[in-house]
Amino acid sequence: MNVGHTYENVARLVRAVTGEVPDAVGLPGAYRATVSQMRPMPANEAGLSVSYEDGDWAAHCVESGVFEHIFKGASPTDGPTRENWDTKVTQALNLINEVSPELRHMVDLLVSDLVIVNSGADGGGSASHMPGVVVMSPGPNWAVLDYAMALVHEGMHHNLFVADAVYGTFTLSSSELEADEYRALSAVKIGQRRPLDKAFHAAVVTVPLMYMEDHQGKTTLVDLYTKSLSDACHDLKKQRPHFTEYGRLLLDELCGFGETINFAEVARAIRGTEYAGYRPSPAA
């Protein structure tokens, strides 16, 4: 995904929901006003709102059974713990900007709320019915890069949520894609076959994570995911008939990277403009 296409997709979402046609300057505020109509609690007009296990979003998730694996066992946190998290998040946002200002633009645009808890889950989550909200349970040994990658990871999930809402990615519903015949290998849960939409999401979000790690001179995820991403892409391509025209565009972009692991191409694509201006073919 690139920044031009992301901004265009968000503008299309805003227009579809509100009827407004925002300009680039007003788009972040318009997006937040839009998602405020699509979720149980509104977003702040600007900035990243951070809350913890005793916040309203945590209470909503626990009551609704959302991200049970993250909230289960979340322990109370004190002031110094939260201050440390806040510092790491600020440093992480700065690091994302250092790696790619365009990635930072996308995170700032798409992520409005961050819920941080101490549950031992060592991970995070986001959901299409809670646009703008990211949940995070940092591991005890997380470095700033881990926080940065978690934010980008969930930001890219939001990117795909918006794209799917605007254009549609698959010809079948999410519930239909649960069937065994539509499953594909996961690039992250290596060796597992997951529903097509979840396998596709997992494969896509590995790309910016590998790119960020490579930029920082590290290879852990690159070494871990290079083969599994290639295997996942090979499997995803078998399901090509169940992608929409737009979904196939994204699939081809993903598989092109999976075959080459070309980080220079990732950098170019992130800041490129070739997908901005995409128009779906009219239905027959």
Side-chain angles (χ1 to χ4, degrees), residues 223-238:
D223 294 341
L224 180 64
Y225 292 150
T226 293
K227 185 178 186 307
S228 67
L229 178 58
S230 176
D231 291 342
C233 286
H234 179 74
D235 219 31
L236 286 165
K237 286 192 286 187
K238 296 177 184 177

Side-chain angles (χ1 to χ4, degrees), residues 2-9 167 272-279:
N2 64 50
V3 68
H5 190 46
T6 297
Y7 268 67
E8 184 175 73
N9 284 357
Y167 296 117
T273 60
E274 64 270 35
Y275 299 106
Y278 171 81
R279 299 290 184 273

